[in-house]
Amino acid sequence: MQASEVRKILGEPRRVDTGNTGRTLESYETPMEAIRDNKLGSKTFEVRSVDVLYSPAGTVEEFLYNADTIVGKTGRSWRLGSFISDDDLERVVKNATTAEELTEYFGPPNRRGLNLSGDVFLGWEYQEGRGSLRKARQVNFVIDTNSVVIGIYKRDYSPEDR
């Protein structure tokens, strides 16, 4: 399948990245939707995404569909997800820590996707604000076929960065 055929089905991607190998990664994400009200003002939101990796020839090489949830406290001051501190990240050892251990440390990931190399990553996102977004942290762990961490990526951002 060509990119134009995928876009007819999925629409315009949220993000397009092209690597130096000629591969292209298109990422699609639906807006977060509250699916459950929890106790004490928190809600569970569904996060759905599709990552499509194209070969240099422009045909679909791989794709990954993801549907996960993220819990947030709603209201004037709000939080979404779980914050992973720099100290928490020190627990993770490249080429040793497993995906199972990540879940034990940080809870279930709220994003699974592909990178430009075709590797699978597990991601945790945290956002907070008072009215609008104030700050956020995204942490992704690239895992190999044995579910062992081979890469760690952290990104802190605010509305000005987006």
Side-chain angles (χ1 to χ4, degrees):
M1 212 176 203
Q2 296 287 326
S4 59
E5 296 171 285
V6 172
R7 286 183 177 195
K8 282 181 187 174
I9 296 166
L10 298 177
E12 288 298 311
R14 184 178 63 91
R15 192 178 73 246
V16 178
D17 297 309
T18 302
N20 56 7
T21 63
R23 290 168 131 182
T24 301
L25 180 68
E26 293 187 345
S27 298
Y28 299 83
E29 196 171 289
T30 61
M32 279 191 253
E33 183 178 313
I35 58 172
R36 182 172 54 248
D37 283 335
N38 305 325
K39 296 178 182 176
L40 302 173
S42 69
K43 291 185 180 195
T44 299
F45 296 86
E46 184 176 51
V47 179
R48 289 181 284 148
S49 61
V50 176
D51 290 326
V52 183
L53 183 64
Y54 297 97
S55 69
T59 58
V60 173
E61 197 172 294
E62 291 183 59
F63 71 93
L64 184 91
Y65 169 74
N66 176 64
D68 276 307
T69 58
I70 186 168
V71 176
K73 182 182 179 316
T74 58
R76 216 170 82 150
S77 292
W78 57 274
R79 290 186 313 277
L80 189 64
S82 299
F83 185 76
I84 297 176
S85 71
D86 291 343
D87 289 341
D88 292 333
L89 286 173
E90 289 183 18
R91 298 172 74 180
V92 180
V93 179
K94 280 173 67 172
N95 301 313
T97 302
T98 65
E100 185 176 307
E101 289 172 311
L102 293 174
T103 302
E104 288 174 20
Y105 299 159
F106 310 125
N110 53 43
R111 175 87 161 84
R112 290 170 181 79
L114 293 174
N115 66 16
L116 271 167
S117 299
D119 298 315
V120 173
F121 69 83
L122 304 177
W124 283 258
E125 183 154 356
Y126 173 81
Q127 296 180 10
E128 70 176 45
R130 188 168 175 82
S132 61
L133 177 66
R134 281 245 163 114
K135 71 176 186 176
R137 173 170 277 192
Q138 195 173 47
V139 180
N140 293 328
F141 300 96
V142 178
I143 58 171
D144 67 12
T145 55
N146 295 315
S147 293
V148 174
V149 173
I150 57 173
I152 303 167
Y153 302 91
K154 175 188 84 170
R155 181 175 154 236
D156 293 314
Y157 61 93
S158 63
E160 304 84 49
D161 301 331
R162 289 201 118 177

